Amino acid sequence: MADIQKRLSELAAAVDNPKERLEYYLGQGKKVVGCFPAYTPEELVHASGMIPMGLWGAQTEWKEVKRYLPAFACPIMQSNLELGLRGAYKGLSAVIIPTLCDTFRCVSQDWRFAVEDIPMIPVTHPQNNANEGSTDFLVSEYESVLNKLSVITGMRMTDAALEETIEIYNEHSRLMQEFAQTANDHLDVITPAIRHIVMKSAQFYEKAEHSEIMKDIIEELKNMPKHNFTGKKVILSGITAEPTEILDILAEYKIAVVGDDLVQESHQYRVLIPEKGGSAVRRLALQWKNRKGCSLVHEDFKSRGEMLVELAKANEAAGAVYCQMKFCDPEEYDYPICARTLRAAGIQVLQLDIDQQKGSFEQARTRIQTFAEML
Amino acid sequence: MYTLGIDIGSTSSDAVVMRDGRDIIAASVVSLGAGTIGPQLAYEKVLKEAKITAEDIGGAVATGYGRKTCDYAAKDLSELTCHAKGIHFLIPTARTVIDIGGQDAKVLQIGAQGQLMNFAMNDKCAAGTGRFLEVMAKVLNVKIEDMGSLSMKAKEPVSISNTCTVFAESEVISQLSSKKDIADIAAGIHRSVAKRVAGMAMRVGKQPDVAMSGGVALNAGIVKALEEELNTSILVHPYCQLAGAIGAAMAAWEDIREEGKG
């Protein structure tokens, strides 16, 4: 128990202070590249000998960013650009910004002009990933990213390096999947907030390093007697479920998180890079082709609702909390479909506004308490 | 056995004493909410009216915005759960409940047993809430309780924004400057609230019968505007303002029965 707490504290410290992780890697003489959400090809950064570090916003006051974005823009993008403008990301060799929604597209251009000391590398995913030419297109996008990364490193990433990185990333994803399952037997230790910290923390570590920590945590959990959780179980869906105060309110009302469909969390780990399919870069592009059930991926017939029902049933969840990122159009569009499918399957749904900023949580508390009373 | 329910809202404190979860013995409404002496006054008043003492109360449940601050309540429940329970007690046929509170507006979908099935709440915004009405009444220099009767005299209700209290206030001042009839402005304000709340009702799914709870339900102008907006009649019980406290008192009784004491 002492060891697992030590490991969990390490991860919590990384999540609380990512800057320290940045300084740590810079101190080792490594270059670090910031990766905006979501589905950023961080494997290309890793295989180029650099450290990819996730940039998923923060609880920070927006001042400078108001010159570039209206108040009704994505909170993650507001925070990322604000921190960039304030110089908080000093030390990063570049940032990679995918263009998965309208705000991302604006921010990529805002960054180019507003944060001149940190180069911006755009990457465009073919959102209709079922389209025949989508993989070829993404390979060309990844090649373009590699060209820009090579300017930073002064050398071209090799196929062999990417093969090795893919092994590391796939192993890490398997471990994160295993953690998610193992955690459900220990809901006394893995509270909603701790589960979130573990899932998020990987963004601030070199993946092989994070895998070693995860192996310890999983082993420790497996050595502990299973906990008989008597509260209510839910799954989370959305972009993120932050800040942790929201998750603490879930715990306060004896609600455990037994699965997630969060882009910031399980989406990162649920689709492995295929073993076959051509060159390493092409295999990486094929991972995108296998993604579905996400508001950022086009599907003619949305499968997310059915996937959520499956996730809830597999983990005996009575409810689903749809963490609605504020001002996020893609997520707003998906909500009615998901809610209808979940309710038809007898699973209660709570739509909870997420704006990532600290402040009063009384409205969230009322919603969560009501939901707990409904379950 | 007597149980007590107290609904500590942001603008008022309502208390109810019930016997055996069936009969309302006494009720009190004090126009002071959380963080004031309102909750204590409502508590003392309801005990006095019921002619009982604190020792006679078998169980108490608190609800509302200030539900966490009530030290004599055995537990607290969300106001949505309590309003659902309370309205089911008052109007058993109600399946959709609209509750416009001081700080937030809610639409509840309830089942045949009074259980809460689904709900929608306004976001961190005063538009469409009781606070919005208060602000507007102040601008019109009209008592909040007179807004309903005033708006019923409207001939041509004006159009007022339903998205922002601050902008709406400017609009009302502008309408006053244009010498628009005050009754038409009051009706426009009610329509503005109704449009906002009707949007939530449509989201939750409007199922008959539709009822209103909370103090704002006593405003006939709002009820009329909502009926027009939702194209349905709305049931309002004379005890609508007490629905939350009634639900809380009933929950206290249910707990006692579950423990086998009732």
Side-chain angles (χ1 to χ4, degrees):
Chain A
M1 187 72 178
D3 282 348
I4 191 170
Q5 289 304 347
K6 190 169 159 259
R7 285 308 212 178
L8 292 172
S9 300
E10 272 176 54
L11 299 185
V15 170
D16 280 350
N17 192 357
K19 185 86 180 168
E20 203 173 274
R21 298 296 306 160
L22 173 65
E23 300 294 342
Y24 168 75
Y25 288 118
L26 292 176
Q28 289 188 335
K30 294 196 169 139
K31 288 185 169 155
V32 180
V33 172
C35 296
F36 271 55
Y39 308 124
T40 314
E42 56 175 86
E43 292 84 351
L44 299 179
V45 177
H46 186 274
S48 298
M50 296 185 283
I51 302 291
M53 195 165 275
L55 306 178
W56 282 78
Q59 284 89 55
T60 187
E61 195 185 346
W62 302 328
K63 282 192 214 160
E64 303 285 327
V65 71
K66 286 178 180 167
R67 283 187 284 155
Y68 295 91
L69 291 175
F72 48 84
C74 166
I76 297 177
M77 291 300 104
Q78 300 258 23
S79 298
N80 275 5
L81 190 53
E82 174 73 30
L83 293 172
L85 287 162
R86 268 197 249 152
Y89 293 144
K90 198 170 163 29
L92 292 181
S93 295
V95 293
I96 302 179
I97 305 184
T99 52
L100 285 159
C101 75
D102 291 345
T103 313
F104 277 103
R105 280 170 211 124
C106 296
V107 166
S108 66
Q109 299 314 302
D110 289 337
W111 188 283
R112 195 194 295 271
F113 293 100
V115 192
E116 286 178 355
D117 56 332
I118 303 177
M120 188 279 299
I121 303 173
V123 58
T124 302
H125 292 79
Q127 279 169 287
N128 184 352
N129 63 2
N131 186 291
E132 236 173 73
S134 68
T135 307
D136 289 341
F137 175 82
L138 193 54
V139 167
S140 72
E141 279 294 301
Y142 286 175
E143 293 291 349
S144 167
V145 170
L146 282 172
N147 285 341
K148 292 184 173 90
L149 290 175
S150 67
V151 173
I152 300 165
T153 58
M155 55 191 281
R156 180 84 184 177
M157 179 206 80
T158 64
D159 241 29
L162 186 55
E163 295 280 356
E164 203 179 311
T165 291
I166 288 174
E167 289 292 313
I168 291 169
Y169 271 71
N170 273 350
E171 189 202 12
H172 181 258
S173 292
R174 283 190 201 97
L175 285 165
M176 296 307 281
Q177 291 171 12
E178 190 180 356
F179 165 75
Q181 281 310 304
T182 312
N184 289 352
D185 290 330
H186 305 281
L187 296 171
D188 52 338
V189 178
I190 309 299
T191 62
I194 290 176
R195 187 184 188 282
H196 161 70
I197 284 166
V198 173
M199 299 300 265
K200 184 180 177 182
S201 62
Q203 296 165 25
F204 311 118
Y205 282 87
E206 187 279 317
K207 290 296 178 293
E209 205 180 319
H210 195 259
S211 286
E212 289 309 308
I213 299 174
M214 290 311 299
K215 282 177 195 166
D216 284 354
I217 290 173
I218 293 167
E219 193 188 331
E220 287 285 336
L221 284 174
K222 285 183 172 172
N223 286 338
M224 291 162 64
K226 288 184 182 179
H227 172 70
N228 180 27
F229 181 74
T230 55
K232 287 145 187 172
K233 296 177 182 177
V234 300
I235 57 167
L236 305 181
S237 183
I239 303 290
T240 74
E242 292 184 316
T244 48
E245 280 85 347
I246 296 273
L247 298 166
D248 288 336
I249 297 173
L250 288 177
E252 188 184 325
Y253 290 104
K254 297 186 171 44
I255 296 175
V257 175
V258 291
D260 82 81
D261 166 57
L262 296 167
V263 177
Q264 191 193 36
E265 300 187 16
S266 283
H267 279 228
Q268 307 277 321
Y269 319 116
R270 75 183 183 192
V271 178
L272 299 182
I273 301 159
E275 300 285 335
K276 292 178 183 164
S279 70
V281 174
R282 193 166 188 85
R283 282 168 59 202
L284 191 59
L286 283 168
Q287 182 193 31
W288 171 253
K289 201 171 180 62
N290 292 337
R291 291 201 183 275
K292 59 175 186 169
C294 174
S295 60
L296 302 172
V297 178
H298 170 82
E299 284 179 286
D300 285 345
F301 299 97
K302 293 262 177 197
S303 59
R304 186 170 169 192
E306 281 81 14
M307 287 171 74
L308 288 174
V309 170
E310 257 177 57
L311 181 68
K313 286 189 172 168
N315 295 293
E316 297 170 341
V321 181
Y322 195 90
C323 302
Q324 175 64 60
M325 180 58 71
K326 213 150 182 191
F327 310 121
C328 180
D329 291 348
E331 284 290 289
E332 284 276 8
Y333 283 128
D334 270 14
Y335 174 71
I337 299 168
C338 294
R340 193 167 52 231
T341 314
L342 283 159
R343 289 201 178 104
I347 297 157
Q348 295 277 14
V349 186
L350 169 67
Q351 189 182 25
L352 194 63
D353 287 325
I354 298 289
D355 68 4
Q356 226 187 26
Q357 299 307 302
K358 283 188 191 291
S360 168
F361 293 99
E362 282 317 303
Q363 272 219 341
R365 179 185 298 282
T366 299
R367 284 169 202 246
I368 291 169
Q369 183 176 5
T370 306
F371 189 57
E373 288 160 8
M374 277 169 69
L375 286 174
Chain B
M1 182 178 285
Y2 296 115
T3 57
L4 183 139
I6 183 158
D7 182 356
I8 306 171
S10 60
T11 54
S12 78
S13 304
D14 316 325
V16 160
V17 170
M18 291 182 81
R19 184 167 46 219
D20 298 342
R22 273 196 312 266
D23 310 312
I24 299 170
I25 302 301
S28 67
V29 175
V30 174
S31 298
L32 289 169
T36 70
I37 55 163
Q40 185 59 29
L41 290 179
Y43 177 63
E44 288 167 7
K45 213 170 147 188
V46 81
L47 290 182
K48 194 174 170 191
E49 195 184 312
K51 298 185 178 75
I52 57 172
T53 65
E55 285 72 39
D56 298 319
I57 299 291
V61 166
T63 188
Y65 183 66
R67 63 192 180 279
K68 298 273 174 202
T69 60
C70 186
D71 51 9
Y72 55 81
K75 75 170 181 185
D76 65 89
L77 285 174
S78 97
E79 56 266 41
L80 287 89
T81 302
C82 290
H83 274 276
K85 242 181 230 303
I87 284 292
H88 180 69
F89 174 80
L90 298 171
I91 308 171
T93 56
R95 295 292 175 271
T96 306
V97 182
I98 296 168
D99 170 33
I100 302 179
Q103 298 231 93
D104 39 38
K106 309 126 194 152
V107 178
L108 323 175
Q109 194 182 78
I110 60 176
Q113 310 303 318
Q115 75 279 24
L116 188 56
M117 311 285 286
N118 191 9
F119 67 91
M121 257 176 99
N122 69 313
D123 196 10
K124 292 170 187 165
C125 172
T129 69
R131 182 69 71 197
F132 178 87
L133 288 170
E134 273 181 26
V135 170
M136 296 308 150
K138 205 171 167 188
V139 175
L140 294 181
N141 197 23
V142 171
K143 282 185 187 167
I144 183 79
E145 54 270 28
D146 295 337
M147 282 282 282
S149 54
L150 176 66
S151 72
M152 299 305 263
K153 294 175 194 156
K155 290 189 183 77
E156 271 182 83
V158 301
S159 174
I160 304 285
S161 160
N162 60 32
T163 52
C164 174
T165 305
V166 179
F167 289 148
E169 188 178 351
S170 305
E171 282 180 47
V172 168
I173 292 168
S174 164
Q175 299 285 6
L176 285 170
S177 313
S178 311
K179 305 285 180 201
K180 287 277 182 287
D181 186 81
I182 194 167
D184 288 342
I185 300 175
I189 289 165
H190 291 156
R191 274 194 182 178
S192 155
V193 172
K195 280 196 171 85
R196 181 94 174 187
V197 177
M200 274 196 286
M202 300 311 281
R203 195 165 177 160
V204 168
K206 177 192 73 175
Q207 286 179 21
D209 290 340
V210 180
M212 259 191 94
S213 70
V216 176
L218 297 171
N219 177 331
I222 283 282
V223 177
K224 180 171 174 269
L226 266 168
E227 285 182 329
E228 285 169 2
E229 208 54 51
L230 290 170
N231 195 25
T232 189
S233 58
I234 293 177
L235 305 175
V236 179
H237 193 279
Y239 285 171
C240 59
Q241 191 169 10
L242 298 167
I246 291 170
M250 289 175 70
W253 168 247
E254 285 164 8
D255 284 352
I256 289 167
R257 266 205 322 191
E258 265 180 37
E259 287 165 15
K261 293 178 191 166

